[in-house]
Amino acid sequence: MDGLSSLYNKVKEFASGHKMVNEFYFARNEQELRNKEFDYRTIVLMPTEGNISRDLNSPIYTIDFALIVLDKAIYGDDANAVNVIEENIFVIGQLQDYLIKEDYNVDFENIDIMTMNDENYTVSSAIADFSVQLARKPYVMDTNN
């Protein structure tokens, strides 16, 4: 584990190799998601906040992300809608296991389930926030003036 680029590549690698996922999308902000056409099932990774710490002489960055898994179900088919919700949560669980195996300490708690009706489909999303701690250099660096 060596930085934000590495985490991005790991999530992208997971999504690209997963048989239940058709698309990976890195969103810079929520506005980008509004007019985007998705190739369902899609995994969206969006950074939301960052912190810098030197507590206990342990320099780290903590970066918060929103992870969104989107898929669609046939409108009015309750069994299909339930299956899509279950599969979205399953994919998040597998991503958590994958990232832990790659030495990232991540925990996807409080997954929000949301649905929105389209003309022929119900779009279902599972949204989870998670944080990642990334190591910084252990000494105080000069500023770049």
Side-chain angles (χ1 to χ4, degrees), residues 40 71-85 115-124:
Y40 300 103
D71 200 4
K72 63 183 178 181
I74 299 167
Y75 182 76
D77 185 340
D78 292 343
N80 184 238
V82 169
N83 188 49
V84 165
I85 291 168
T115 58
M116 184 176 71
N117 293 331
D118 199 350
E119 294 173 15
N120 300 319
Y121 297 97
T122 299
V123 176
S124 179

Side-chain angles (χ1 to χ4, degrees), residues 73-135:
I74 299 167
Y75 182 76
D77 185 340
D78 292 343
N80 184 238
V82 169
N83 188 49
V84 165
I85 291 168
E86 182 178 41
E87 288 176 353
N88 285 349
I89 293 171
F90 176 75
V91 168
I92 291 174
Q94 287 193 318
L95 176 59
Q96 179 179 4
D97 293 345
Y98 175 78
L99 290 175
I100 289 170
K101 185 182 84 178
E102 296 294 324
D103 294 327
Y104 290 95
N105 183 17
V106 294
D107 196 9
F108 296 99
E109 291 184 4
N110 301 321
I111 298 172
D112 292 324
I113 307 296
M114 300 173 70
T115 58
M116 184 176 71
N117 293 331
D118 199 350
E119 294 173 15
N120 300 319
Y121 297 97
T122 299
V123 176
S124 179
S125 61
I127 305 167
D129 294 327
F130 72 102
S131 297
V132 174
Q133 291 185 344
L134 305 170

Side-chain angles (χ1 to χ4, degrees), residues 51-67:
N51 292 300
I52 298 173
S53 173
R54 285 197 173 277
D55 288 347
L56 302 174
N57 202 25
S58 177
I60 59 169
Y61 299 110
T62 301
I63 302 176
D64 299 336
F65 292 91
L67 180 80

